[in-house]
Amino acid sequence: MGFNTVLMPPLFRPSSDGNIFLTADYDALHPAVGEGKTDEYLAVLAEAARARGLALHLDLVIDRLALDGTQAGHQPEWFRIAARDAGAPPDPRDPPEAPNIAEVRFDVEAVARAMTDWWAERLVAWTRLGISGFRCKRPDRIPAIVWQELMALTRQSAPGCVFLAWTPGMQLAEQERLAGLGFDAVFSSARWWDFRSPWLVEEHARQRRIAPSIAFPEAPFGERLASEYHGADEVQAACRRALWLAAFAGDGLLIPMGYEYAARRPLDAVHGDPTELDRLRQSTGIDLTNDIAEVNGWIAERNFACGHGALISLPGGGADASALVRTNLASPACSDDAFLLLANASLHRS
């Protein structure tokens, strides 16, 4: 389908409730993956990806661990038991929170220093095994100095290592604090655009000051786009529209596993297993692999200065249509290349 990277969620032994984003032991594999040491498995995966022309990235969660895990047991003074305000709604960016979360006490200088060293040693080891990048979850929960040191120490060993800040759901002020820390990209909220509102263009302009943005037609482990529509024709039209919007609005494209088959069921961070892809493939009868390949080919050929090209909304669109322009330079007047996207908010009116 024309991808250059595979992004994997954590494949380590999870907490007792099975949440893969809450690690109990970084040296042990998730039971569904197999037995053995994680380093050996990561090296095999990285080599398999490299043999197919793909980089291998990992999801990175460093602000919390499983309370019943090995590290929390060895250094309990480094952590506090997470407590969510009983009146606050659950965070849609993550699976439901379990009561066994150990949050890192980054507000304590000695703990922040120790955890920075611990994580830097681990990240350097992973890059030496062939991991070439990380999607950093909840970057706003980590002090700026910790990110700067982690990225600097990792890139000393692996100069091309990529750090992607997962920004959907973050407040504007939280995102702005990421500027200058060294992140290679942030993530667009284009998935939730209504094809009319001006906020997409406004967000693009703000994020351009931080880093290039990666867009996606649906969020990893989030609600599936196909579940919002009915009938094969409508689902295919919605998926293709979202795919081209993501390619157009972002400087890169992230596609969650199963989108290529217009899957309706979200990936499960607690109860998922390696047979899930086969079930997704057989569940809809829809195949978007050629569409994704076409979009990836277009991304590879377009002449955008990554992260610097402007996104502009043209006036005069009707109630059911928006017109967007992407230029290859930050100043439209100086650009010598541009693309026009006509976005139809309706799937039923031409």
Side-chain angles (χ1 to χ4, degrees):
M1 289 182 281
F3 291 104
N4 60 14
T5 304
V6 171
L7 170 65
M8 293 191 62
L11 45 72
F12 315 105
R13 183 168 69 82
S15 61
S16 56
D17 70 337
N19 186 345
I20 61 175
F21 290 101
L22 197 58
T23 296
D25 188 350
Y26 282 97
D27 293 320
L29 288 171
H30 191 294
V33 176
E35 297 180 354
K37 295 294 184 181
T38 56
D39 285 0
E40 298 172 359
Y41 194 70
L42 287 174
V44 170
L45 287 178
E47 177 55 36
R50 188 164 46 247
R52 292 160 175 80
L54 296 165
L56 183 61
H57 290 188
L58 285 179
D59 276 339
L60 191 61
V61 182
I62 70 174
D63 70 301
R64 56 186 52 198
L65 294 166
L67 186 62
D68 54 1
T70 55
Q71 189 184 14
H74 291 157
Q75 290 97 8
E77 69 278 7
W78 290 7
F79 305 92
R80 66 170 63 90
I81 300 175
R84 182 172 67 83
D85 182 356
D91 193 319
R93 295 172 290 181
D94 285 320
E97 291 193 344
N100 61 337
I101 297 174
E103 290 184 339
V104 179
R105 300 174 64 189
F106 278 114
D107 56 323
V108 178
E109 184 177 354
V111 174
R113 178 72 265 166
M115 285 299 294
T116 300
D117 293 341
W118 187 88
W119 269 111
E121 180 180 356
R122 194 161 292 273
L123 296 183
V124 167
W126 287 344
T127 58
R128 288 173 178 168
L129 296 172
I131 305 302
S132 59
F134 303 94
R135 179 177 72 122
C136 305
K137 300 264 289 176
R138 298 295 187 83
D140 52 307
R141 293 190 172 186
I142 313 301
I145 186 62
V146 173
W147 279 127
Q148 289 173 317
E149 291 191 27
L150 277 179
M151 287 187 269
L153 292 169
T154 305
R155 287 167 176 155
Q156 286 177 10
S157 175
C161 187
V162 172
F163 285 84
L164 313 173
W166 181 253
T167 49
M170 287 176 55
Q171 298 297 318
L172 174 59
E174 295 172 342
Q175 292 195 38
E176 291 178 341
R177 283 195 287 269
L178 300 179
L181 298 188
F183 284 105
D184 295 280
V186 294
F187 286 84
S188 167
S189 301
R191 157 68 174 96
W192 297 282
W193 189 45
D194 62 0
F195 298 91
R196 296 184 182 91
S197 304
W199 66 257
L200 180 66
V201 172
E202 296 166 358
E203 180 193 68
H204 186 272
R206 292 195 304 266
Q207 290 190 331
R208 198 175 66 198
R209 297 192 290 267
I210 303 172
S213 63
I214 297 171
F216 45 85
E218 63 184 16
F221 295 95
E223 289 300 313
R224 294 290 195 179
L225 180 68
S227 67
E228 302 173 9
Y229 299 92
H230 305 282
D233 291 343
E234 185 178 81
V235 168
Q236 288 192 65
C239 287
R240 288 178 177 136
R241 180 180 63 177
L243 183 62
W244 278 102
L245 172 65
F248 188 89
D251 301 297
L253 182 66
L254 169 67
I255 301 290
M257 184 181 80
Y259 188 82
E260 67 271 36
Y261 304 117
R264 291 180 173 272
R265 186 173 63 233
L267 295 173
D268 193 329
V270 176
H271 302 294
D273 64 70
T275 65
E276 182 69 10
L277 182 59
D278 288 333
R279 288 196 290 270
L280 295 177
R281 184 185 291 116
Q282 299 165 9
S283 63
T284 65
I286 296 174
D287 190 334
L288 299 170
T289 54
N290 288 336
D291 297 277
I292 294 173
E294 181 182 3
V295 167
N296 275 333
W298 180 78
I299 291 174
E301 293 174 0
R302 72 185 187 182
N303 182 29
F304 287 179
C306 190
H308 300 291
L311 178 66
I312 306 163
S313 177
L314 297 184
D320 288 320
S322 293
L324 301 176
V325 171
R326 279 297 303 266
T327 63
N328 66 328
L329 296 177
S331 173
C334 300
S335 298
D336 56 9
D337 199 4
F339 292 91
L340 170 68
L341 177 75
L342 300 177
N344 188 351
S346 172
L347 293 176
H348 306 290
R349 296 177 59 185
S350 62

